[in-house]
């Protein structure tokens, strides 16, 4: 019996090591890498200029300010980064879950905050190696320190690619629905927010079924985060989408 108890304790000890100690060590190593590269990476003072440069290079229009109501912004937060208002550029809960998943077999990869995605779009486009990912984390910290959450969200939704040649929220709202960002319905806003993750795969002109599935996921997240009630979510999904 004593031997069986010892084996059980060893078994659980190994699982504790895999689930807690190893991910924590990996997080500590990642933090060390970020600190080491901090002086080598640029400041983020140029972020608004870079957003405007991206829009200008594609002939897209700038978003003067976050629209009121900001339905696309709320949908992006609910879907991509629900702890956006309280994180510090890095979602520690999601990052821990992602690192732990590498050792437990889970495929949860939802650690990319809006700041990280903005840093990727502006400073490391087309790069996906480990160095780029460490840079993105560091730049996300800098973005969170330098700008307010509204400014970060404004740069992100105002400059990200929505597919079908539409860069930025102004051109996406007009190009897909012939309207202004502040006039988007929840159905339209949830469709646009869903495109951000994979704009080509979810292009509603080419893959409407997939785009609708993604829209349903966005709406479900809006309900889960209490932005919409279940009835409001169902009504948003039932809205007819009149694409241009």
């Amino acid at each position: 019996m004593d031997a069986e108890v010892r084996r059980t304790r060893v078994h659980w000890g190994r699982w504790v090591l895999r689930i807690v100690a190893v991910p924590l060590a990996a997080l500590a190593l990642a933090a060390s890498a970020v600190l080491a590269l901090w002086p080598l990476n640029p400041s983020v003072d140029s972020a608004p200029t870079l957003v405007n440069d991206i829009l200008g290079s594609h002939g897209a229009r700038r978003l003067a300010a976050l629209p009121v109501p900001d339905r696309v912004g709320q949908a992006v937060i609910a879907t991509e980064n629900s702890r956006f208002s309280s994180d510090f550029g890095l979602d520690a809960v999601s990052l821990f879950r992602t690192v732990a998943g590498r050792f437990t077999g889970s495929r949860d990869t939802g650690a990319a905050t809006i700041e990280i995605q903005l840093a990727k779009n502006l400073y490391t486009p087309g790069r996906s190696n480990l160095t780029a990912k460490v840079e993105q984390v560091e730049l996300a910290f800098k973005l969170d320190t330098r700008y307010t959450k509204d400014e970060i969200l404004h740069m992100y939704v105002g400059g990200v690619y929505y597919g079908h040649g539409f860069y930025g929220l102004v051109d996406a709202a007009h190009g897909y629905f012939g309207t202004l960002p502040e006039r988007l319905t929840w159905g339209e806003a949830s469709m646009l927010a869903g495109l951000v993750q994979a704009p080509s795969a979810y292009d509603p002109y080419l893959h409407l079924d997939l785009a609708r599935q993604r829209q349903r996921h966005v709406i479900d997240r809006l309900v889960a985060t209490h932005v919409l009630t279940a009835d409001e979510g169902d009504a948003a999904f039932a809205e007819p989408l009149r694409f241009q």
Side-chain angles (χ1 to χ4, degrees):
M1 186 67 178
D2 289 344
E4 183 178 346
V5 170
R6 284 196 296 272
R7 283 195 298 270
T8 301
R9 288 177 177 174
V10 168
H11 171 76
W12 281 107
R14 287 174 178 170
W15 271 102
V16 169
L17 180 65
R18 292 178 67 189
I19 295 173
V20 178
V22 174
L24 282 176
L27 287 173
L29 182 61
S32 298
V34 168
L35 291 174
L37 289 175
W38 188 277
L40 303 179
N41 279 320
S43 76
V44 293
D45 290 348
S46 62
T49 300
L50 292 176
V51 171
N52 291 335
D53 287 347
I54 291 172
L55 294 175
S57 67
H58 295 282
R61 287 162 289 186
R62 296 170 54 185
L63 180 67
L66 285 174
V68 179
D70 183 21
R71 288 178 172 145
V72 171
Q74 291 182 76
V76 166
I77 290 171
T79 309
E80 306 288 342
N81 187 185
S82 61
R83 285 179 285 272
F84 173 66
S85 63
S86 60
D87 67 29
F88 45 91
L90 181 68
D91 187 341
V93 175
S94 293
L95 182 60
F96 181 86
R97 191 165 59 236
T98 298
V99 175
R102 297 296 180 90
F103 298 93
T104 62
S106 170
R107 295 190 176 184
D108 189 334
T109 58
T113 62
I114 288 173
E115 288 92 345
I116 288 176
Q117 294 177 71
L118 180 61
K120 179 180 179 180
N121 293 345
L122 298 184
Y123 296 98
T124 62
R127 295 171 55 200
S128 58
N129 56 26
L130 181 59
T131 300
K133 292 183 182 300
V134 172
E135 290 177 14
Q136 290 160 16
V137 170
E138 178 192 323
L139 291 165
F141 277 118
K142 291 184 175 181
L143 286 165
D144 190 72
T145 302
R146 173 67 177 79
Y147 300 100
T148 68
K149 291 294 186 179
D150 279 352
E151 288 170 335
I152 290 167
L153 186 62
H154 174 230
M155 286 189 283
Y156 186 63
V157 300
V160 75
Y161 183 52
Y162 291 87
H164 217 76
F166 303 131
Y167 283 82
L169 183 55
V170 176
D171 276 22
H174 183 267
Y176 282 114
F177 300 115
T179 191
L180 300 172
E182 60 269 23
R183 294 181 181 172
L184 289 165
T185 66
W186 275 118
E188 294 164 344
S190 58
M191 173 61 70
L192 293 184
L195 300 178
V196 172
Q197 184 189 62
S200 297
Y202 296 128
D203 185 330
Y205 293 121
L206 301 176
H207 310 290
L208 182 58
D209 287 345
L210 289 176
R212 290 281 284 168
Q213 290 175 29
R214 179 63 178 168
Q215 181 197 22
R216 180 76 257 187
H217 172 70
V218 172
I219 291 172
D220 288 345
R221 289 298 305 152
L222 285 163
V223 172
T225 55
H226 309 294
V227 177
L228 299 178
T229 66
D231 287 345
E232 288 170 338
D234 289 341
F237 189 67
E239 286 179 20
L241 296 174
R242 298 181 176 86
F243 294 106
Q244 298 296 295

